[in-house]
Amino acid sequence: LASLRDIAEKLNVSVSLVSKVLSGRLGTTGVSDEAVANIRRVAEQLGYRKNASAVALLSGRHNIIGVFIHRLGMAGSGIIEELLEGVSAVALQHHQRLQLNFFITNEEFFALCHGANRGTMDGLVVGGVYHAELEEHLRAIHGAGLPLVTLYDTPVAQPIPNVGFDQTAASRLATEHLISRGARKLAHIRNMDGRYEGYRQALAAAGLRYDAARVFQAREHDYSHVMGEEAVRKFLKNGVAFDGLVAQSDQEAVGAMNELFRRGFRVPEDVRLIGIDNAPYCEFARVPLSSVSQDFLARGAASMRLVLDLVEGRDVRSTHVQPILFPRDSSR
Amino acid sequence: LASLRDIAEKLNVSVSLVSKVLSGRLGTTGVSDEAVANIRRVAEQLGYRKNASAVALLSGRHNIIGVFIHRLGMAGSGIIEELLEGVSAVALQHHQRLQLNFFITNEEFFALCHGANRGTMDGLVVGGVYHAELEEHLRAIHGAGLPLVTLYDTPVAQPIPNVGFDQTAASRLATEHLISRGARKLAHIRNMDGRYEGYRQALAAAGLRYDAARVFQAREHDYSHVMGEEAVRKFLKNGVAFDGLVAQSDQEAVGAMNELFRRGFRVPEDVRLIGIDNAPYCEFARVPLSSVSQDFLARGAASMRLVLDLVEGRDVRSTHVQPILFPRDSSR
DNA sequence: TTGTACGCGTTATCAT
DNA sequence: ATGATAACGCGTACAA
């Protein structure tokens, strides 16, 4: 690859002159039109490109932002694609390069953390499923002075800015929606305490009686369609009547929908359904599935903006995105 | 961030000594145990990390591999996640950093190409939906000497190594599978000529008559569930009998499945169904959907291996991955 | 209008 | 056993 020196030698001028011309930073000095033209021509001809590492070394900025994503248990939800799209768009816009790393195990995360420092990148976004074991390492990275933003529901550690999401509000929104459409006997698949709270809040606000029999306790960390199927089976077996179901993922909701159809129920006529995540397949479920989006596009974008603010030395506070309701036929 | 010099000054030793100790490359010379211990201790204490840009500048290698992905029209298929997982795993394994960029429009791609050169990265993988307009730029990148590997079905331009996929073989595999399960009147949604060929090859090989009435011509570049629904509607409207349907995506297959159920048909009893992509939602479709995977995990991994081979100066040839059949209940 | 000198952090080579 | 020097490519302060 051609360097400034190659151009300078070819034209018998100094490297600094070439640098000035090509970087467009002439300072106080003037340059002859002829020299400019020559330099531009030869640069073009030699296919000159700045060496990013040299610039980084000099400026102390790599223009690289790391993105570490825990990608377990999110297959098919489209969450990761959405997140990456958001992060990537903002990075591009700010001329920052995006260094992507996935991890599953804690060990993989620890290994990544070792390479996460000012000698490698300017800032870091960490997102995905939270595990308490990660906190120590996140604190270490933050403590070492690397701009760091997390993407968890709630802030992990006080000084680390986070782009959060109110799961209670999301679940409340979903439940309120089914109520507004006429459901009165609302069932719920319980995975997450916050979401359970939101469900109860919506019931209370609407003056509906809470019935513990309508809550199906899912296996921990299991948001698969199996939970939806099992929930429906259990309700039917126990003779629990319900005309609405607030699931904890679109997979659960689709599982429930399938089971309902198998048992001869209709959606939404007999049971109104809503999921969470607004996965792409909501559109083409047996009955298009209503859902609440966690807006990972906006979350990704916000996290990148935040980390860039940190890099620039601006003050930054944790923020969060709002759940978005996508009503479809399953709750008509 | 602490540098070698910081450590050296703190210990009153030379920078080169610190470098030797910390990089583990002592050459022919020995170092006193005490010096080693001191240097290690202070390095730890100061949180020393190598500056990647300095190393890159010196070595001429950035240890960064770019990955440019055209991500249009693949939502929900899980393809991008799979691809990224494959690419990312191999990169990590070889201690290479992964620079991710998405693009949709040609202009976005051209902009990315401008930053794709030896001054920025060591190699590049480009994948996604192919458009002829990209070829010129791909050739330019390759011509400029940046190791480049493409991820298209067939090689785009002769000298550029590609990790391909035989769409004809995939479609043949899907069709053969339905035939082997007993389907005799096979319908087909036609998007791609290669896939259509594979369908016909399988029919011919099984001695089944080809009937043009059983082929539904999809809109160009439309692999959505709508095509599946329309195909079923058209067949039924025209009184075309079929006991198997080879779709061109899982979305099409799910669309067809939904329409079949709405019309009172059973899957697989009346119609056996198979899709392509093996998307995550195949597992939890109304009837779990059989599919043929394009094995984007392996493709991603292979492309990264190839580009790393190129970077190392090894000779490299285009390769391809095999379609993988995932039989499920929809073709039982 | 153009050139010189220096430094960013690291490592390889050669010297002491 | 340790140190000095040069070099990677670029930008900038300063000199000519």
Side-chain angles (χ1 to χ4, degrees):
Chain A
L1 188 65
S3 67
L4 290 182
R5 195 170 51 170
D6 297 325
I7 300 174
E9 283 177 357
K10 191 143 186 171
L11 287 169
N12 274 316
V13 295
S14 75
V15 172
S16 60
L17 184 62
V18 179
S19 169
K20 285 172 193 165
V21 169
L22 291 181
S23 61
R25 187 70 209 97
L26 297 181
T28 66
T29 71
V31 184
S32 74
D33 290 351
E34 195 197 339
V36 171
N38 280 334
I39 290 171
R40 292 242 173 85
R41 182 175 44 75
V42 174
E44 168 80 9
Q45 171 188 324
L46 264 49
Y48 168 79
R49 303 286 173 198
K50 252 198 248 263
N51 184 312
S53 294
V55 174
L57 184 56
L58 194 57
S59 68
R61 287 219 16 199
H62 304 274
N63 292 322
I64 293 180
I65 303 294
V67 174
F68 293 174
I69 298 185
H70 185 130
R71 59 162 199 68
L72 192 63
M74 309 174 122
S77 63
I79 288 180
I80 290 185
E81 283 181 41
E82 242 190 282
L83 183 62
L84 286 177
E85 191 184 329
V87 166
S88 142
V90 174
L92 198 63
Q93 192 181 326
H94 291 262
H95 305 100
Q96 301 299 303
R97 304 154 77 190
L98 181 60
Q99 178 188 327
L100 174 68
N101 282 104
F102 289 135
F103 66 95
I104 299 186
T105 66
N106 287 344
E107 285 65 38
E108 286 169 348
F109 178 69
F110 301 162
L112 290 179
C113 287
H114 194 262
N117 56 73
R118 275 262 182 66
T120 298
M121 55 181 63
D122 298 329
L124 177 63
V125 172
V126 176
V129 184
Y130 180 64
H131 289 94
E133 292 88 349
L134 309 184
E135 177 170 346
E136 177 193 350
H137 288 259
L138 292 173
R139 282 187 186 279
I141 288 176
H142 180 265
L146 184 74
L148 171 64
V149 171
T150 56
L151 266 171
Y152 296 117
D153 290 340
T154 56
V156 163
Q158 238 346 291
I160 305 177
N162 183 70
V163 180
F165 184 75
D166 187 341
Q167 299 291 359
T168 303
S171 186
R172 198 169 50 226
L173 179 62
T175 311
E176 283 168 354
H177 173 66
L178 293 193
I179 294 173
S180 79
R181 290 300 172 94
R184 286 298 170 264
K185 289 175 282 190
L186 286 135
H188 178 74
I189 300 181
R190 178 175 183 175
N191 291 76
M192 217 184 274
D193 290 346
R195 297 242 184 107
Y196 171 70
E197 276 311 314
Y199 161 74
R200 295 206 56 169
Q201 288 173 9
L203 291 188
L208 295 176
R209 191 177 58 83
Y210 167 72
D211 181 350
R214 294 206 191 100
V215 175
F216 175 82
Q217 176 67 52
R219 277 193 296 274
E220 209 175 4
H221 303 309
D222 189 346
Y223 295 81
S224 74
H225 64 289
V226 177
M227 292 298 98
E229 294 169 355
E230 286 187 4
V232 169
R233 268 187 234 122
K234 184 170 176 192
F235 293 146
L236 295 183
K237 184 181 157 202
N238 294 352
V240 175
F242 63 107
D243 59 6
L245 172 60
V246 180
Q248 294 307 302
S249 71
D250 296 323
Q251 300 202 12
E252 286 180 0
V254 168
M257 186 188 296
N258 289 340
E259 192 64 23
L260 284 168
F261 272 105
R262 277 183 214 113
R263 304 297 190 104
F265 292 88
R266 293 163 303 165
V267 173
E269 292 82 353
D270 299 319
V271 178
R272 289 187 172 84
L273 271 182
I274 189 163
I276 289 188
D277 282 348
N278 195 39
Y281 50 80
C282 288
E283 296 273 3
F284 51 89
R286 173 79 162 84
V287 174
L289 180 66
S290 301
S291 193
V292 170
S293 166
Q294 302 196 40
D295 205 358
F296 270 96
L297 190 70
R299 277 179 92 176
S303 66
M304 183 54 75
R305 266 184 241 112
L306 246 54
V307 82
L308 291 176
D309 279 346
L310 283 176
V311 170
E312 300 290 349
R314 285 190 282 275
D315 240 20
V316 147
R317 290 189 319 158
S318 286
T319 175
H320 58 98
V321 301
Q322 296 298 330
I324 305 176
L325 176 69
F326 286 85
R328 297 194 182 87
D329 285 354
S330 73
S331 61
R332 197 172 8 116
Chain B
L1 188 63
S3 68
L4 290 183
R5 197 171 49 167
D6 297 325
I7 300 174
E9 283 176 357
K10 189 143 188 170
L11 286 169
N12 273 317
V13 294
S14 73
V15 170
S16 51
L17 184 62
V18 178
S19 169
K20 284 172 193 165
V21 168
L22 291 182
S23 63
R25 186 71 208 96
L26 297 180
T28 66
T29 72
V31 183
S32 75
D33 290 351
E34 196 197 339
V36 171
N38 280 335
I39 290 171
R40 292 240 174 86
R41 182 174 45 75
V42 174
E44 168 81 10
Q45 171 189 323
L46 265 49
Y48 169 79
R49 303 286 173 197
K50 249 197 250 263
N51 184 312
S53 294
V55 174
L57 182 57
L58 195 57
S59 67
R61 286 218 18 196
H62 305 274
N63 293 321
I64 293 181
I65 304 293
V67 175
F68 294 173
I69 299 184
H70 186 130
R71 60 161 200 68
L72 192 64
M74 308 173 122
S77 64
I79 287 180
I80 289 184
E81 283 182 41
E82 243 191 280
L83 183 63
L84 286 177
E85 190 183 330
V87 166
S88 140
V90 174
L92 198 63
Q93 192 180 326
H94 291 263
H95 304 100
Q96 300 301 303
R97 305 154 77 190
L98 182 61
Q99 179 190 327
L100 175 68
N101 283 105
F102 288 134
F103 66 96
I104 299 187
T105 64
N106 287 344
E107 285 64 38
E108 286 170 349
F109 179 68
F110 301 161
L112 291 179
C113 287
H114 193 261
N117 55 73
R118 274 261 182 68
T120 298
M121 54 181 65
D122 298 330
L124 176 62
V125 173
V126 176
V129 183
Y130 180 65
H131 289 94
E133 292 89 348
L134 309 185
E135 177 169 346
E136 176 193 350
H137 288 260
L138 292 173
R139 283 188 186 279
I141 288 176
H142 180 264
L146 184 73
L148 170 64
V149 172
T150 56
L151 266 170
Y152 296 117
D153 290 340
T154 56
V156 164
Q158 238 346 290
I160 304 176
N162 183 71
V163 180
F165 184 75
D166 187 341
Q167 299 290 359
T168 304
S171 186
R172 196 169 55 226
L173 179 61
T175 312
E176 283 169 356
H177 172 66
L178 293 192
I179 295 173
S180 79
R181 290 300 171 92
R184 286 298 171 265
K185 290 176 282 191
L186 287 135
H188 178 74
I189 300 181
R190 178 174 183 175
N191 291 76
M192 217 185 276
D193 291 346
R195 297 243 183 105
Y196 171 71
E197 276 310 314
Y199 161 76
R200 296 205 56 167
Q201 287 173 9
L203 290 187
L208 294 175
R209 189 176 60 83
Y210 166 73
D211 182 351
R214 294 207 190 98
V215 174
F216 176 82
Q217 178 66 51
R219 277 193 296 274
E220 209 175 4
H221 304 308
D222 189 345
Y223 295 83
S224 74
H225 64 288
V226 176
M227 292 298 99
E229 294 170 354
E230 287 186 3
V232 168
R233 267 186 234 124
K234 183 170 177 190
F235 293 146
L236 295 182
K237 183 181 158 201
N238 294 353
V240 176
F242 63 107
D243 58 6
L245 172 60
V246 180
Q248 294 307 301
S249 72
D250 296 323
Q251 300 202 11
E252 286 180 0
V254 167
M257 186 188 296
N258 289 339
E259 191 64 24
L260 285 167
F261 271 104
R262 276 183 215 113
R263 304 297 190 105
F265 292 87
R266 293 162 305 165
V267 174
E269 292 82 353
D270 299 320
V271 178
R272 289 186 172 84
L273 272 182
I274 189 163
I276 288 189
D277 283 347
N278 195 39
Y281 51 80
C282 288
E283 296 274 2
F284 51 89
R286 173 79 163 82
V287 174
L289 180 67
S290 302
S291 194
V292 170
S293 166
Q294 302 197 40
D295 205 358
F296 270 95
L297 191 69
R299 277 179 92 175
S303 66
M304 184 53 76
R305 266 185 240 109
L306 246 55
V307 82
L308 290 177
D309 279 347
L310 283 176
V311 171
E312 300 289 348
R314 284 190 282 275
D315 240 20
V316 146
R317 289 190 318 158
S318 286
T319 175
H320 59 97
V321 302
Q322 296 297 330
I324 306 176
L325 176 70
F326 286 85
R328 297 195 181 88
D329 284 356
S330 73
S331 61
R332 197 173 7 115

